[in-house]
Amino acid sequence: MPDPLFDLTGRTIVITGGLGRLGRQFTLACAQRGASVAILDVTDDASRLAPFAEHADCVALFKADLTSRESVEQAHAKIVDRFGVPHGLVNNAGLDSPPDAPAAETGPFEDYPDASWEKVLGVNLTGVFHACQVIGGAMAREG
């Protein structure tokens, strides 16, 4: 049942990284309030949608590599085919070293590997840039 103070009925919300810990909460909150939710994530493993089983009719997973504008464009086209032009975008995807990461990635900043830094920048900055350009641009054109 939608929350009258936060009603998203008839709206489509895109959530990047919607399968992650925080993304799952955003996805559930939007679905519970009546939105259709398009999850953009690096996987297309449908079994990862189990936490949203109660909202299976309005939550869908779209595989996208946010570091690739072309990948975001392809996923966006599929979202539009399924739900129409989105009404909202939650740039949630992000990389951070997990506690069980190799010592080089959790040790002193001075030793943080360049390759890891480039991955973080790719998802956390370039990914937001691409999502805002592609999805945000479509939203702006639709008013």
Side-chain angles (χ1 to χ4, degrees), residues 15 19 38-46 60-66 68 70-79:
I15 301 175
L19 296 177
I39 297 172
L40 286 186
D41 216 293
V42 294
T43 183
D44 58 1
D45 179 1
L61 175 61
F62 300 87
K63 184 175 182 175
D65 173 359
L66 296 176
S68 163
E70 181 180 355
S71 180
V72 175
E73 289 171 339
Q74 291 170 354
H76 179 254
K78 292 175 185 174
I79 292 167

Side-chain angles (χ1 to χ4, degrees), residues 28-112:
L28 283 171
C30 290
Q32 289 168 345
R33 285 157 180 84
S36 295
V37 181
I39 297 172
L40 286 186
D41 216 293
V42 294
T43 183
D44 58 1
D45 179 1
S47 70
R48 303 269 316 269
L49 291 173
F52 317 113
E54 183 179 334
H55 306 284
D57 59 325
C58 66
V59 175
L61 175 61
F62 300 87
K63 184 175 182 175
D65 173 359
L66 296 176
T67 67
S68 163
R69 181 184 173 97
E70 181 180 355
S71 180
V72 175
E73 289 171 339
Q74 291 170 354
H76 179 254
K78 292 175 185 174
I79 292 167
V80 172
D81 285 347
R82 171 88 185 259
F83 296 124
V85 175
H87 300 92
L89 168 64
V90 178
N91 280 304
N92 169 72
L95 293 182
D96 188 12
S97 296
D100 61 348
E105 294 197 17
T106 59
F109 175 76
E110 306 84 56
D111 298 329
Y112 195 75

